[in-house]
Each structure stands twice: as C-alpha cells, then as structure tokens.
C-alpha cells in the first residue's frame, strides 16, 4: 500500500488543487476503498463556484470546508477492513462497493426516527473534513456509513451512477405516481433522466420530458419518455393540456435547478396536482404562492438524497435497461478535474462526467 496518493483538495471557491496527501488509514469498523470512479454533479459545481448556499452566509452554514476532498458519487474496491465492518456491511476485501452519500450520526432526532437522510449533522462525503470524498485514489468508509455491493460487470462510471439514480428514484417516490397520471420531468440531465426512467417504471399514462436540447430529449426517450418537448420551440403548457383534456399534469418533477422551471411547473400542474422539487439552486427563486394555495391547492414536496432507493438503483443499472453508454459521456483522469468541472459547467457537451483516479 502506498503512503501517499493524489487527491483534489478544496482551498476555497474556484480554488481546487491536485495534491499529494497521505493515504487515509481506516479506524475501527471502517473500510479503506480504492476509488474506481467518481462523478461530478451540479451541486459539486455550485459549491466550486462558491454559491452562498454552499459557502454559507448569515443564515446558512457552509456546506463545503477548505481542506476537504470533494466527490460524493463514487464506486470503489474494498482493500482493507476489520471484522466489525465485515459483519456490519456484509462485504469482503475485493468487493466492489458504493456508499450512500450521507454518513448519518444515528443519534439525532431524525436518525432515531429512521429518517437518516435528514440527519442533523448532515455529513455528506466531499463537503466536510469529517467525511472526505472520492476525488482521490483512496477513501475511507466510516463505521456509520451505509454500504452496498455492486456488480463488477458494470463499467466504473456506470456503477458510480448509482448515486444520482437513487436521488432521482427518491424524487419519483415522493411524487406518488399512479397508473393514470401524466408526469412531467423538467430537465434531462443525469437527475432528470433518472426521474424519467423511474417514472416510466411506475407505468403512468404518459411521461413527458422537457429540455432545450434535442440530444438530451432523444436520450430521455431512450430512458422511457413517450412525449418530449423542446421548450425553446414548443409550448409545454399546450402539449400537456392536449394530453389531459385541458386539465394539466398530475405530477411535476423538477430536476434542472433552473429558476424558470419552478413557475413553469406550477403552471403546468392541474388543480390538486403534486410538485416535487429536487433541483439545487444557486440563488433564491420567487414564485406566486397563490397558485399553490388559492388557485390550485397543490401538494409541494421536496426531495433530498436517495434514501431506501439504492438497491433499486443498483438493480436498474445491472439490468441494462438504461442507455448508460450515452449517459456517461466523459471519463477523465483525476489530473483533468478542472476540465471535468468546466464540462459540467458548460452543459452542452456532456451528460455525466466522471473522474477515474486509477
């Protein structure tokens, strides 16, 4: 085992550096994991640019700390663990594993009630020094982590997609989709594509995908959307009303993180419809709340992380039902992390960008 490794280290907004750091040493009940792939997502990018919701202001704590290794969606191989970790997780040295992005404290009000994904301390890999992330050759899974095995038949970047897919499936669960529903998914990035696939698995009447990119809409169709709308050329309200006798959509899943998608969803929904927000915004969003109350009496639900959805996400990946070669567009060496961040920021040349530390 080497004594040092390469890792991306956060030193502040737009100041990430590739450095040589000590290989972490697992403690009691922990596991040392060799990272095979780590994805870059929109929240990583917003944090990199120093959005206030991530770096803190007078009302919100910072999400990312200086000195932390980023990266919260990953897959790796177990290289060392003790008997306590082996018994808790049911894994062995050599197993390919993923870990849920949050490491719960298991002691706060939420954890005690089984709502671990809303844990009070909220230690997510790659945002706090207590839980370093996966943009490195090796990482440690803490004893409190939630760990799942993944098939070795999957390419590393595909296996690492378990994290965004689990998040998308949780949003779908929050939507309470039924067979007769018309479901609209806003945004066909990695989360939105997962929402499309998850919504299709619920067998509603229609899954409608919205985006401004024809390429991404084609990908959404491959994931299960039976109606695709390029909102730069078509009026989504007209399309949705045409599918619903003028009433509007039953469920709207927001996965773009674009402020305009919020008002769009409120307008597309029928009375008594359900709005699910998963997107992460870099600034405040303003809407007419009377649409939610007096006009339509909507159910508005948030969705955070992917609780209880990881096994389903892994099964979906292993089944081959998703066009993962088209979703995982870029795999870059760790040294090219800046190129990866820039690709995600550009948005027009990639879907899912991953770093391969090997």
């Amino acid at each position: 085992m080497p004594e040092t490794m390469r890792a991306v280290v956060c030193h502040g907004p737009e100041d990430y550096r590739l450095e040589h750091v000590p290989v972490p040493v697992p403690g009691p009940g922990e596991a040392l994991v060799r990272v095979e792939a780590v994805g870059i997502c929109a929240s990583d990018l917003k944090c990199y640019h120093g959005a206030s919701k991530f770096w803190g202001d007078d009302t919100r704590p910072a999400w990312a700390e200086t000195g932390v290794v980023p990266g919260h969606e990953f897959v790796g191989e177990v290289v060392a663990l003790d008997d306590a970790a082996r018994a808790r997780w049911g894994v062995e040295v050599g197993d390919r594993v993923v870990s849920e992005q949050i490491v719960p404290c298991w002691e706060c009000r939420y954890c005690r009630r089984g709502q671990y994904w809303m844990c009070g301390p909220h230690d997510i890999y790659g945002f706090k020094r207590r839980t370093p992330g996966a943009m490195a050759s090796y990482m440690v899974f803490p004893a409190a982590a939630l760990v799942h095995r993944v098939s070795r038949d999957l390419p590393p970047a595909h296996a690492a997609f378990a994290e965004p897919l689990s998040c998308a499936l949780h949003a779908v669960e929050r939507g309470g989709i039924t067979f007769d529903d018309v479901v609209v998914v806003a945004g066909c990035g990695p989360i939105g594509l997962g929402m499309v696939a998850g919504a299709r698995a619920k067998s509603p009447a229609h899954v409608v995908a919205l985006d401004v990119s024809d390429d991404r809409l084609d990908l959404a169709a491959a994931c299960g959307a039976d109606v695709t709308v390029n909102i730069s050329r078509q009026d989504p309200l007209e399309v949705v009303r045409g599918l619903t006798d003028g009433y509007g959509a039953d469920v709207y899943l927001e996965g773009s993180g674009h402020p305009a998608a919020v008002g769009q969803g409120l307008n597309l929904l029928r009375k008594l419809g359900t709005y699910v927000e998963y997107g992460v915004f870099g600034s405040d969003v303003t809407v007419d709340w009377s649409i939610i109350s007096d006009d339509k009496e909507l159910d508005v639900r948030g969705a955070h992380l992917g609780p209880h959805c990881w096994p389903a996400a892994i099964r979906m990946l292993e089944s081959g039902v998703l066009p993962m070669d088209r979703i995982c567009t870029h795999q870059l060496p760790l040294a090219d992390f800046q190129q990866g961040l820039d690709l995600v920021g550009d948005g027009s040349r990639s879907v899912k960008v991953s770093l391969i530390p090997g």
Side-chain angles (χ1 to χ4, degrees):
M1 180 66 61
E3 294 183 358
T4 63
M5 65 178 184
R6 294 192 307 170
V8 178
V9 180
C10 168
H11 289 274
E14 300 185 359
D15 186 8
Y16 285 18
R17 308 172 197 172
L18 186 66
E19 299 178 355
H20 280 87
V21 301
V23 172
V25 177
E30 299 182 336
L32 181 66
V33 174
R34 179 181 63 82
V35 180
E36 296 182 34
V38 52
I40 302 174
C41 84
S43 60
D44 289 317
L45 188 71
K46 289 182 173 69
C47 186
Y48 170 75
H49 286 302
S52 63
K53 289 184 179 181
F54 295 88
W55 288 98
D57 53 25
D58 293 338
T59 60
R60 300 189 61 156
W63 277 35
E65 299 174 347
T66 57
V68 74
V69 176
H72 62 276
E73 51 183 68
F74 48 79
V75 65
E77 178 186 3
V78 178
V79 296
L81 78 169
D82 62 13
D83 288 341
R86 184 177 289 108
R88 182 185 309 106
W89 297 322
V91 301
E92 297 286 348
V93 170
D95 283 349
R96 174 185 261 185
V97 289
V98 293
S99 178
E100 297 195 24
Q101 64 280 81
I102 191 167
V103 180
C105 72
W106 300 116
E107 296 177 355
C108 71
R109 167 182 179 155
Y110 303 104
C111 287
R112 291 198 309 270
R113 295 183 178 189
Q115 301 158 331
Y116 69 89
W117 67 100
M118 298 306 297
C119 172
H122 224 73
D123 290 339
I124 295 179
Y125 290 108
F127 293 102
K128 295 184 180 180
R129 286 186 291 272
R130 290 195 298 265
T131 48
M135 291 188 189
S137 301
Y138 296 90
M139 67 184 301
V140 165
F141 287 1
L146 293 149
V147 177
H148 307 274
R149 285 188 294 178
V150 186
S151 170
R152 285 198 170 277
D153 293 336
L154 292 174
H158 297 191
F161 197 73
E163 193 277 344
L165 183 55
S166 70
C167 294
L169 296 184
H170 177 51
V172 169
E173 294 274 83
R174 293 283 285 161
I177 295 168
T178 62
F179 296 133
D180 291 331
D181 284 344
V182 171
V183 181
V184 176
V185 177
C188 296
I191 294 293
L193 293 172
M195 288 175 171
V196 167
R200 172 49 58 204
K202 295 288 187 179
S203 299
H206 295 288
V207 178
V208 182
L210 310 181
D211 205 286
V212 296
S213 165
D214 287 335
D215 289 341
R216 291 202 177 201
L217 289 168
D218 287 344
L219 197 47
C223 290
D226 59 291
V227 179
T228 59
V229 180
N230 188 317
I231 61 173
S232 68
R233 297 195 303 267
Q234 291 177 275
D235 181 358
L237 183 59
E238 180 180 336
V239 173
V240 170
R241 284 181 173 172
L243 294 171
T244 59
D245 295 327
Y247 286 103
D250 301 281
V251 180
Y252 181 86
L253 306 176
E254 202 294 295
S256 72
H258 193 289
V262 180
Q264 173 183 260
L266 298 179
N267 288 322
L268 286 176
L269 283 167
R270 63 166 170 80
K271 294 179 180 181
L272 303 175
T274 299
Y275 180 111
V276 180
E277 181 58 64
Y278 193 89
V280 177
F281 299 95
S283 59
D284 292 342
V285 179
T286 301
V287 297
D288 180 0
W289 277 73
S290 62
I291 299 174
I292 299 168
S293 57
D294 191 50
D295 291 355
K296 295 185 176 181
E297 195 176 319
L298 300 176
D299 284 340
V300 178
R301 301 178 179 178
H304 178 57
L305 306 185
H308 309 300
C309 292
W310 283 74
I314 292 168
R315 288 195 302 272
M316 186 175 286
L317 290 171
E318 292 176 347
S319 74
V321 69
L322 293 176
M324 292 305 301
D325 285 334
R326 296 174 61 191
I327 293 173
C328 295
T329 53
H330 293 76
Q331 294 89 53
L332 306 173
L334 191 64
D336 292 343
F337 73 90
Q338 187 63 59
Q339 180 186 347
L341 289 165
D342 293 343
L343 278 167
V344 175
D346 176 88
S348 65
R349 295 177 290 144
S350 67
V351 181
K352 171 50 65 179
V353 178
S354 300
L355 303 176
I356 309 297

